């Protein structure tokens, strides 16, 4: 029951964020929308930013699960495009919030988990140090999140083509062969 109330608060917050700027969402307004007491709110969350972080962490965890359970890489990458597209209004509103760094970090973390699993399955005996693997995964995850955030709002976006392009990049097919001069 406790998790249910936490989800109710988070879902209501998410609906409010879809319609208005985060700075206009207050605890008072949120508890009124949820029809709960202030005490109930503070039992589950510290403040509005705590609700925001919990909401996005839950969403990105679901995204990771969806991508890891996808039948193939293309479907997994499509899940990320769909997530950003479905949440673009909220993401735009959060872009200038004081928690944007955390939100972007959660997106990068979600992509990193997927890419790490992809690397483990595709190249189980990869010969990279832990540090090199971490830098590589972070590089690709930051790039993928950046591309998603830049391209998802394009009016004539060909999502299939973008998925194929991202897949070619993360599998090394975009720059085939050795390119020591790059």
């Amino acid at each position: 029951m406790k998790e249910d109330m936490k989800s109710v608060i988070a879902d209501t917050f998410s609906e409010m964020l879809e319609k208005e700027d985060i700075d206009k969402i207050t605890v008072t307004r949120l508890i009124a929308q949820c029809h709960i007491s202030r005490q109930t709110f503070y039992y589950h969350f510290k403040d509005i930013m705590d609700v925001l972080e919990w909401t996005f962490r839950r969403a990105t965890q679901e995204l990771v699960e969806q991508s890891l359970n996808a039948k193939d890489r293309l479907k997994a990458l499509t899940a990320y495009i769909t997530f950003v597209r479905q949440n673009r209004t909220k993401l735009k509103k959060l872009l200038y919030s004081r928690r944007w760094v955390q939100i972007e970090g959660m997106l990068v973390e979600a992509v990193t988990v997927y890419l790490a699993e992809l690397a483990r399955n595709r190249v189980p005996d990869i010969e990279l140090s832990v540090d090199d693997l971490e830098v590589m995964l972070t590089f690709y995850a930051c790039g993928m999140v950046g591309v998603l955030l830049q391209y998802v709002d394009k009016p004539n976006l060909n999502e299939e083509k973008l998925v194929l392009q991202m897949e070619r990049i993360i599998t090394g097919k975009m720059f085939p062969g050795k390119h020591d001069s790059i």
Side-chain angles (χ1 to χ4, degrees):
M1 185 73 157
K2 292 177 185 175
E3 276 301 310
D4 290 345
M5 182 50 67
K6 198 167 189 167
S7 292
V8 167
I9 295 168
D11 292 343
T12 303
F13 170 80
S14 189
E15 290 168 15
M16 292 173 75
L17 188 57
E18 192 72 41
K19 298 173 189 153
E20 55 195 289
D21 195 52
I22 190 167
D23 297 328
K24 295 183 182 188
I25 302 173
T26 63
V27 172
T28 303
R29 291 190 56 233
L30 181 55
I31 63 176
Q33 285 285 122
C34 292
H35 307 290
I36 60 171
S37 69
R38 186 170 287 277
Q39 181 180 0
T40 300
F41 175 85
Y42 285 112
Y43 177 80
H44 296 286
F45 296 103
K46 293 183 292 187
D47 55 23
I48 290 293
M49 290 304 171
D50 192 29
V51 179
L52 170 67
E53 191 168 332
W54 190 86
T55 302
F56 265 82
R57 186 152 311 278
R58 178 182 63 167
T60 56
Q61 285 170 346
E62 290 171 7
L63 176 59
V64 167
E65 288 174 27
Q66 186 181 1
S67 68
L68 293 176
N69 293 326
K71 292 179 182 174
D72 58 44
R73 265 192 310 269
L74 298 178
K75 294 217 182 313
L77 292 170
T78 300
Y80 285 94
I81 287 178
T82 301
F83 176 85
V84 173
R85 186 175 18 85
Q86 288 174 343
N87 291 286
R88 77 173 161 246
T89 302
K90 294 175 207 165
L91 290 168
K92 280 181 168 181
K93 290 178 186 223
L94 295 170
L95 182 60
Y96 299 105
S97 79
R98 53 187 177 169
R99 287 287 176 121
W100 175 249
V101 172
Q102 286 95 331
I103 298 302
E104 186 178 40
M106 284 183 252
L107 291 170
V108 169
E109 182 182 316
V111 173
T112 302
V113 169
Y114 164 70
L115 292 174
E117 190 63 28
L118 178 67
R120 258 191 297 283
N121 291 334
R122 191 168 195 279
V123 192
D125 55 341
I126 192 166
E127 292 184 27
L128 284 176
S129 70
V130 173
D131 289 342
D132 287 348
L133 182 61
E134 182 181 330
V135 168
M136 181 187 73
L137 291 173
T138 302
F139 177 82
Y140 279 114
C142 287
M144 194 168 138
V145 168
V147 165
L148 290 172
L149 293 173
Q150 288 293 313
Y151 280 85
V152 79
D153 234 10
K154 301 277 184 200
N156 297 319
L157 176 66
N158 182 337
E159 289 183 18
E160 253 181 64
K161 181 179 178 184
L162 182 59
V163 165
L164 290 171
Q165 290 169 318
M166 288 191 314
E167 193 265 347
R168 286 178 35 227
I169 290 169
I170 65 173
T171 58
K173 294 175 188 170
M174 186 72 84
F175 292 109
K178 290 192 174 216
H179 295 283
D180 294 333
S181 62
I182 293 181

